[in-house]
Amino acid sequence: MNAIPRIFGRLTVCLMMLPAVAWAQSDAAPVRLSAVEAGQQRDRIEAVGEARAARSVTLYPESTGIVTRLNVAAGERVEAGETLVELESAQARNALERASAELRDARNRLERYESGKGAGTFSPTTLENVRREVEIARLTREQAQLDLADRSRQAPFAGHLGLTDLEVGQRVDPDTPITTLDDRQTLRVRFRLAGHYHGQLAVGDRITLTAWARPESPVSATIQAIDSRIDRDTGTFQLEARLDNRDDRFRPGMRFRIIRELAGPRHASIPATALQWGDNGAYVWRVEAGTAERVNVTLVARQADQVLVDGPLEIGDDVVSEGAQRMRPGIEVRIIDPATLDDYPRIDAVRDTPAQ
């Protein structure tokens, strides 16, 4: 009976000695190391812009009169030179015919006078007066042609028409709007940025646009103009981007969310898990020659699972990214080779013979 207590006591002593033996065999702290890499800070700029057509006009009549023909349909595309509105033009046509007849008479008279010039029938002064009459008749006819042309309004360029309030038979004057015309194959998107970004963007840079009405479809645009001055009241400056709209997805007046990332200064990049915090701020554990060293750093920015820091770190330095809670200054660090963790001896296996 006395043998049992003695065996139990010896077993207890052996179990108590096992942790000490294990620690004596390996007194280093197992951690994961990551190399310091070069990273670049990136500033994300966001703004709101409004789209404008590449060319946009409100059309007005050139003269006063009654509308006799109206060829305006909202949303319809027209070509340059296509007639949109015609006014009553009988009086203008009569004036052109009369001016044409007077020009013919003046030219015939001049021809007769010049044929008798060599015989001395007409004095030089008379010939000069007739030539002046021809020139006046020619100018009168040209003015009559312009007056007739003003009785209709053509599209100055190809584009899409807007709404109109005109009706056939309505009397209009040069202050009566006919409709709008937009060339929207290319849109101009204007937006403003804070003054301290001036000089960080250039003509030709690409930006990302997202229409508020279509947040699922971001598109790319090119900066084509940058204002030369900063507004004194707002501290901002204006930019204009060109958006290709040949597929006619967007409309003038749409609002866009504008995003652009700017490359900033370069810093040391480390895993976010390597950054520790203490009473004196942020720090990391750097391992050199198998020994841990605490290095104070300054957090600059977070980028996904990495952080950018400033401090006495060099590219390629090893920092502790896992197991930092076990670190102490000067502690020995045992570097584990992951390839050896699964280095188990081979096990032979025999396949069973199928039952007969």
Side-chain angles (χ1 to χ4, degrees):
M1 297 296 293
N2 294 333
I4 295 177
R6 286 197 302 270
I7 294 174
F8 181 76
R10 292 174 183 174
L11 181 60
T12 302
V13 172
C14 291
L15 292 175
M16 294 176 63
M17 291 176 63
L18 285 177
V21 173
W23 180 257
Q25 292 177 350
S26 177
D27 57 355
V31 296
R32 180 181 294 274
L33 302 182
S34 298
V36 176
E37 300 176 351
Q40 192 167 30
Q41 184 178 357
R42 303 192 70 85
D43 292 333
R44 183 183 177 91
I45 299 177
E46 294 192 13
V48 176
E50 181 179 346
R52 303 182 181 185
R55 291 181 292 178
S56 180
V57 294
T58 299
L59 301 176
Y60 292 86
E62 294 292 339
S63 57
T64 301
I66 304 298
V67 177
T68 59
R69 180 188 173 199
L70 184 63
N71 184 30
V72 177
E76 180 181 353
R77 178 175 173 82
V78 296
E79 299 300 327
E82 188 171 335
T83 299
L84 305 178
V85 172
E86 290 184 358
L87 306 182
E88 188 278 323
S89 59
Q91 185 175 355
R93 292 182 185 279
N94 290 337
L96 176 59
E97 291 178 3
R98 183 171 59 252
S100 298
E102 291 176 355
L103 177 59
R104 286 194 301 270
D105 291 344
R107 285 174 174 172
N108 292 335
R109 187 163 54 252
L110 176 61
E111 184 177 352
R112 292 195 305 270
Y113 279 32
E114 287 182 337
S115 63
K117 176 180 178 182
T121 306
F122 304 103
S123 66
T125 302
T126 302
L127 284 174
E128 187 63 29
N129 289 337
V130 174
R131 291 192 182 100
R132 185 170 60 253
E133 291 175 359
V134 171
E135 183 64 18
I136 292 175
R138 185 185 65 80
L139 293 175
T140 302
R141 182 177 182 275
E142 287 185 359
Q143 183 61 51
Q145 289 176 326
L146 293 175
D147 291 341
L148 179 60
D150 286 346
R151 307 306 291 177
S152 62
R153 191 68 166 93
Q154 289 77 33
F157 52 82
H160 290 81
L161 298 173
L163 294 170
T164 184
D165 293 327
L166 295 187
E167 297 289 348
V168 173
Q170 180 178 346
R171 183 178 180 82
V172 297
D173 58 44
D175 293 328
T176 305
I178 300 173
T179 187
T180 58
L181 179 64
D182 294 328
D183 177 7
R184 61 187 190 219
Q185 286 193 321
T186 299
L187 297 181
R188 298 177 296 139
V189 181
R190 288 191 178 182
F191 59 99
R192 287 186 171 273
L193 293 178
H196 62 268
Y197 289 118
H198 202 284
Q200 299 188 48
L201 291 171
V203 173
D205 286 351
R206 305 290 291 180
I207 60 174
T208 301
L209 306 181
T210 304
W212 292 111
R214 299 179 181 177
E216 74 287 350
S217 302
V219 293
S220 181
T222 304
I223 296 177
Q224 68 173 3
I226 301 176
D227 202 351
S228 61
R229 63 176 61 184
I230 297 175
D231 189 274
R232 291 183 299 175
D233 296 329
T234 64
T236 62
F237 66 101
Q238 197 169 37
L239 303 91
E240 185 174 280
R242 182 177 64 252
L243 174 61
D244 188 347
N245 191 43
R246 282 176 290 186
D247 56 1
D248 207 29
R249 295 169 57 195
F250 306 107
R251 296 290 182 271
M254 275 188 170
R255 299 271 179 164
F256 287 85
R257 180 187 180 191
I258 299 165
I259 300 176
R260 165 74 178 183
E261 286 192 352
L262 296 178
R266 301 182 71 83
H267 302 276
S269 176
I270 61 175
T273 54
L275 188 67
Q276 306 295 311
W277 293 90
D279 295 338
N280 297 325
Y283 66 92
V284 298
W285 290 103
R286 179 171 57 189
V287 175
E288 289 185 341
T291 303
E293 174 189 10
R294 176 169 168 163
V295 178
N296 292 328
V297 296
T298 301
L299 176 63
V300 176
R302 295 184 180 272
Q303 295 180 345
D305 57 350
Q306 295 287 113
V307 292
L308 301 181
V309 297
D310 277 340
L313 295 176
E314 299 294 336
I315 305 302
D317 283 352
D318 286 329
V319 295
V320 177
S321 57
E322 292 184 18
Q325 67 276 9
R326 295 191 294 272
M327 303 306 298
R328 299 291 185 275
I331 193 172
E332 180 185 355
V333 177
R334 173 169 54 90
I335 300 177
I336 300 174
D337 184 1
T340 65
L341 296 179
D342 295 331
D343 189 15
Y344 300 114
R346 186 182 66 182
I347 299 177
D348 295 332
V350 178
R351 186 184 301 275
D352 288 339
T353 302
Q356 297 298 327

